[in-house]
Amino acid sequence: MGVIGVSTPAGEQRPVVGAFRRAGASLGRSKQRVIEFARQPVTSFQRRVEELPFDYPPSVIIAVDLALFVVAVSAAIQRHSYFPTALPILAVLLTTAFGPMYAFLGVMPRPLTLGLFAMAAEALFLAQPVSPDLAPFVLVAAAGEVAAIARKRISVPITAAMMIELVVFDMNDHLSQGLPTYLVGVAFGWMAGVMLQYQRRFLYQERGYQEIRAAQAADEERRRIAREVHDVIAHSLSITLLHLTAARHALQTDRDVEDAVESLTDAEQLGRQAMADIRRTVGLLDARPSKLVPEPGVEDIQGLVGDFARAGLEVRYLCTGDLRAVSPALGLALYRIGQESLANVVKHAPGGSASVHVDVDGTEVALTVHNTAPAGLPVHPGSGMGVSGMRQRAELLGGRMNAGRHDDGWSVRAAIPLAPTRGGISCAILPGLLHGLTEPRKAQET
């Protein structure tokens, strides 16, 4: 069998073709970078600096590069007596090579190549000694750059090599007096770079902590809004059901349309108020500013008890002490705890009676809600979020809340330390509030 011809295997052509393609693509990108820089030099330069993976502010990177360039040019000017030799010019080009190489060719600056280029430029400078000499400060700035972007296991050997280079040139009388100063300067440059890296690391940690704190704050706000919505809905539905029960009883038993209409009107009014409260609470999720509405306080507990009494719950209210010592935050917490407790009375102990007692002394304010359980009705705390929500409200303000069986029914007691005194309502100066509901309307039998 004769040999007709010899051809290159396809496997040997592919690497060559791939290399040519990669080279062509790289040239195309470089051409595009040059055109972009020619059209918008400032914008293009800022974009290239921001694309660097070192995550330093562009101003820091520009300042370090500018300082390195100034030192290199100054060292070259010191060697004017050696002109027209091109060694100082070549050293300046090596010192500032990575800026154009990255801007136009996309070559990423690496710690090792940065150190080698700086040491090569330093060698060209020191080949033509002058006194005094600014050239060693090129290594000072380069050591800071390397330490700012590399780990210590990389930056320490490179910095040590820079120091050894200075010692070698000093031994050959190519370095003016002041070797210890130059060595200390290189060490301080390395330390400055390490400090920048530590600062960046701490910045990352702080960003992570900020994200965690923001997530925790958002979760807490969602839980707070959930508690507010739960309390508002439980309160409004409980009283509405009492009014509807009274209306049904009036129509079925007494055929009293006027009482039924009155109960339905109260239920409608309470439902509208509950809808407004829900809209205001859910509106807290909206970032847009909304109209500020005063939150209920401890002085509004009397009106809360009145709502339940008018709906048919047998409830008594007692207030002792000066309510002016209760801050708005404590008053809101106590109001919500009382609201939830009375709603639970309607839900879990229908037909029972309740009592609400607010007691303010010199150190704390206490709210006690006690209700009886009808005969044959088991006393249990339920499985909802009411009790846990009340306990969390009290604990967030440094107080405590206990709920459980007591005598013939169920008792809830919340005690919270007093905040600084603010304006409010005193039970002593409004005696009508003290026993205003001592004769509540009896719950109608169904």
Side-chain angles (χ1 to χ4, degrees), residues 255-304:
R255 303 296 179 181
D256 192 341
V257 178
E258 292 184 358
D259 288 347
V261 171
E262 181 180 356
S263 297
L264 292 176
T265 301
D266 292 339
E268 179 184 6
Q269 181 180 1
L270 185 63
R272 295 182 184 277
Q273 180 183 353
M275 289 298 298
D277 292 340
I278 293 174
R279 289 193 187 98
R280 176 181 55 81
T281 304
V282 176
L284 296 175
L285 297 172
D286 196 346
R288 295 172 298 179
S290 58
K291 184 179 179 180
L292 297 178
V293 179
E295 294 283 1
V298 66
E299 64 275 5
D300 297 313
I301 296 179
Q302 190 267 346
L304 175 70

Side-chain angles (χ1 to χ4, degrees), residues 113-133:
T113 52
L114 279 173
L116 291 177
F117 273 49
M119 293 176 65
E122 185 68 19
L124 293 177
F125 280 131
L126 296 181
Q128 299 175 338
V130 295
S131 182
D133 197 353

Side-chain angles (χ1 to χ4, degrees), residues 78-79 130-135 176-177 182:
Q78 284 183 313
R79 287 159 174 79
V130 295
S131 182
D133 197 353
L134 294 176
S176 62
Q177 295 180 356
Y182 294 141

Side-chain angles (χ1 to χ4, degrees), residues 15 34 56 59 81 84 99 175 179 242 283 292 309-310 332 343 401 407 425:
V34 173
Y56 285 109
S59 59
S81 59
L175 189 64
L179 176 64
L242 288 176
L292 297 178
R310 284 188 293 273
L332 175 62
M401 198 281 293
D407 294 338
I425 297 177

Side-chain angles (χ1 to χ4, degrees), residues 40-113:
Q40 297 178 336
V42 178
T43 304
S44 176
F45 179 76
Q46 292 179 347
R47 183 181 300 112
R48 298 294 174 239
V49 172
E50 292 174 355
E51 290 175 356
L52 287 171
F54 307 132
D55 198 23
Y56 285 109
S59 59
V60 175
I61 298 175
I62 294 173
V64 174
D65 289 341
L66 184 60
L68 192 60
F69 175 76
V70 170
V71 171
V73 171
S74 301
I77 294 174
Q78 284 183 313
R79 287 159 174 79
H80 61 87
S81 59
Y82 290 98
F83 291 161
T85 176
L87 289 183
I89 304 301
L90 182 58
V92 173
L93 294 177
L94 283 175
T95 304
T96 58
F98 273 106
M101 289 174 62
Y102 174 71
F104 301 132
L105 302 179
V107 178
M108 189 66 62
R110 304 294 180 185
L112 182 59
T113 52

Side-chain angles (χ1 to χ4, degrees), residues 337-380:
I337 293 174
Q339 189 180 57
E340 175 67 19
S341 300
L342 291 176
N344 287 337
V345 172
V346 176
K347 179 180 178 181
H348 299 292
S353 61
S355 63
V356 178
H357 181 202
V358 178
D359 180 31
V360 183
D361 59 19
T363 58
E364 66 179 14
V365 54
L367 171 69
T368 304
V369 180
H370 177 75
N371 67 276
T372 60
L377 188 66
V379 178
H380 57 85

